[in-house]
Amino acid sequence: MTSMLDKTPTYRKPVLTAREIEILREWLVCESKSEAASRLYVTAATVSTHIVRIREKYARVGRPAPTKTSLLARALQDGVVFIDEL
């Protein structure tokens, strides 16, 4: 008999660029887009544009992430970030 805990869920991962991953990771550990932008030497608008594109990619694979919390969950599920980094 197999329990529900024995099954590892599989997720369709969106294809994120290296820059999208870099911006997503930085934004997730910062308090704001402007703080992430400052650390990456870009504008807050650039961070926002990348986050919008990342959310669109997640929605296209059936895993919408409309909030920062849901995007964090997706990033954790996909191994983009790890809990001990946050």
Side-chain angles (χ1 to χ4, degrees), residues 7-35:
K7 296 184 180 186
T8 303
T10 57
Y11 302 101
R12 288 185 54 206
K13 294 181 183 181
V15 177
L16 302 179
T17 67
R19 186 63 169 164
E20 287 170 337
I21 290 170
E22 178 183 28
I23 287 177
L24 176 58
R25 289 172 55 87
E26 195 64 44
W27 178 63
L28 289 171
V29 300
C30 290
E31 293 294 320
S32 66
K33 290 177 184 171
S34 59
E35 182 184 347

Side-chain angles (χ1 to χ4, degrees), residues 4 6-7 13 15 23 30-31 39 41 45 68-69 72 83:
M4 293 292 281
D6 293 336
K7 296 184 180 186
K13 294 181 183 181
V15 177
I23 287 177
C30 290
E31 293 294 320
R39 289 180 174 196
Y41 303 102
K68 188 172 187 175
T69 303
L72 171 60
I83 198 75

